[in-house]
Amino acid sequence: MAKALGKGLGALIKTYNSDVKKTSENYNLDITKIVPNSNQPRQEFNKKSMIDLIESINEKGILQPLAVRKISDDSYELIAGERRLRAAQSIGLKTVPAFIIKVENESEMMELALIENIQRDNLNSIEEAEGYAILSGKFNFTQNEIAKKVSKSRSEIANKLRLLKLPPLIQQSLRNNEINYGHARALLGFRESTIMLKIFKKIISKKLNVRQTELFIKSIKSPTKIISSQKKYTKLEKELTNYLNTNLTIKKFTNTGQIVIKFANEAELKRIISLMIKN
């Protein structure tokens, strides 16, 4: 298990062995008395990983107890181990081994659940970011405090939180592992969601890896080029407008562009075409 600063699960739960049994820290709890953690940071569960876990539990049982806190005489709230709980429910287990931990407040419980998921079965980047956002927004943790709790750098916490600024479509793609964290970081070089989405669609359609994505974005030269390059053509627009005596716009994209010429009727169209052919 990775080292966790602060009060991580590693500091509160011992390895499940004969010594633990003697301390009476773990119990076999009625599975129907365990309720989910409302602040569970993991929202998606890998199907293959779940199937493997179900098969393992069916064959060997639950080797690592769940972590819960007592919320009433006959009810416990899950802190960590939702995958194990779901697997146990799917094969019809009546009881599960669990550690009952005293948790002082919701922020500590959220911290424990987040650390558990990061250390045992990595969250995807969006789930990780959402967990940090809860610690920050709901429990007023600073980025430095979060970094210490989960043994990561403050800059990594900041970068993960920035993922929540991505358009919903890109966030969902990241959640579904259609793109990865490297793709997402590259897209965050842009402020405008329309530009992010254009590049995202190219990543998907061309199946660009992270390096190819970075090179493509570099070829644009700057995040504002797509929307600012049109300014370079203002003079040309004026010249063509005067020559053709009609309104038009020049739109420049990365390596392509288009000239949009407006006309009011068929006669005006013929006049414009005649001028263009003439020259």
Side-chain angles (χ1 to χ4, degrees):
M1 180 180 287
K3 182 181 178 183
L5 301 180
K7 234 178 185 181
L9 283 177
L12 296 177
I13 303 177
K14 297 180 180 179
T15 304
Y16 185 42
N17 56 30
S18 58
D19 291 335
V20 172
K21 292 179 181 178
K22 292 177 183 177
T23 65
S24 297
E25 290 180 308
N26 63 299
Y27 302 83
N28 280 318
L29 297 180
D30 184 336
I31 201 169
T32 62
K33 294 182 178 180
I34 300 175
V35 298
N37 178 351
S38 58
N39 287 321
Q40 164 64 240
R42 178 175 290 282
Q43 301 300 322
E44 304 281 340
F45 295 86
N46 181 276
K47 290 183 179 179
K48 183 180 184 306
S49 178
M50 282 299 299
I51 291 172
D52 291 343
L53 180 61
I54 289 169
E55 290 177 352
S56 174
I57 290 176
N58 201 28
E59 181 182 350
K60 301 176 183 177
I62 298 177
L63 302 180
Q64 176 63 45
L66 286 64
V68 301
R69 70 166 175 171
K70 191 171 185 178
I71 54 178
S72 69
D73 289 340
D74 61 350
S75 183
Y76 301 86
E77 185 173 16
L78 187 69
I79 295 176
E82 183 156 339
R83 292 174 69 252
R84 280 163 279 161
L85 179 62
R86 290 190 181 199
Q89 289 170 333
S90 71
I91 59 178
L93 292 184
K94 302 298 183 184
T95 63
V96 290
F99 290 106
I100 300 175
I101 299 174
K102 291 183 179 180
V103 180
E104 297 178 359
N105 51 55
E106 281 194 68
S107 62
E108 185 178 359
M109 184 168 174
M110 178 62 192
E111 174 195 337
L112 293 175
L114 183 60
I115 292 171
E116 156 76 4
N117 279 283
I118 290 171
Q119 291 178 338
R120 292 189 185 280
D121 191 4
N122 290 339
L123 298 172
N124 66 52
S125 297
I126 285 293
E127 289 172 335
E128 195 175 338
E130 289 170 343
Y132 298 150
I134 292 173
L135 289 174
S136 174
K138 188 173 181 179
F139 303 116
N140 299 315
F141 278 46
T142 66
Q143 290 184 7
N144 280 328
E145 288 171 336
I146 295 172
K148 288 180 179 179
K149 296 295 185 183
V150 298
S151 299
K152 295 180 181 289
S153 67
R154 190 208 63 79
S155 62
E156 184 172 353
I157 301 302
N159 285 331
K160 288 288 172 63
L161 285 169
R162 290 177 66 216
L163 297 177
L164 300 178
K165 296 180 180 180
L166 291 167
L169 178 64
I170 300 178
Q171 288 191 36
Q172 189 59 44
S173 181
L174 188 56
R175 193 187 299 277
N176 295 339
N177 296 315
E178 295 169 343
I179 62 172
N180 62 35
Y181 179 46
H183 290 114
R185 284 197 64 178
L187 289 170
L188 283 168
F190 300 90
R191 293 183 180 180
E192 296 79 11
S193 60
T194 53
I195 298 176
M196 290 184 190
L197 287 167
K198 283 181 181 179
I199 298 175
F200 164 72
K201 289 176 182 177
K202 184 176 181 67
I203 292 171
I204 297 299
S205 64
K206 300 294 185 181
K207 298 181 179 180
L208 301 182
N209 60 33
V210 174
R211 180 58 179 162
Q212 290 169 330
T213 299
E214 291 171 344
L215 289 173
F216 171 68
I217 289 174
K218 188 176 181 180
S219 73
I220 298 173
K221 293 185 179 179
S222 75
T224 58
K225 182 175 180 181
I226 295 176
I227 60 173
S228 66
S229 60
Q230 185 177 338
K231 296 178 182 178
K232 299 178 183 179
Y233 297 88
T234 302
K235 184 178 179 181
L236 286 173
E237 282 183 354
K238 288 181 179 178
E239 290 176 356
L240 282 171
T241 295
N242 291 334
Y243 176 72
L244 297 174
N245 192 27
T246 189
N247 292 325
L248 61 83
T249 56
I250 298 175
K251 296 183 178 181
K252 180 69 173 64
F253 306 112
T254 306
N255 296 312
T256 61
Q258 60 182 197
I259 299 175
V260 180
I261 301 173
K262 298 180 180 179
F263 56 89
N265 49 49
E266 191 74 17
E268 187 173 12
L269 173 60
K270 290 180 179 180
R271 178 186 65 77
I272 292 169
I273 292 174
S274 177
L275 283 171
M276 293 174 69
I277 294 174
K278 181 179 179 180
N279 289 277

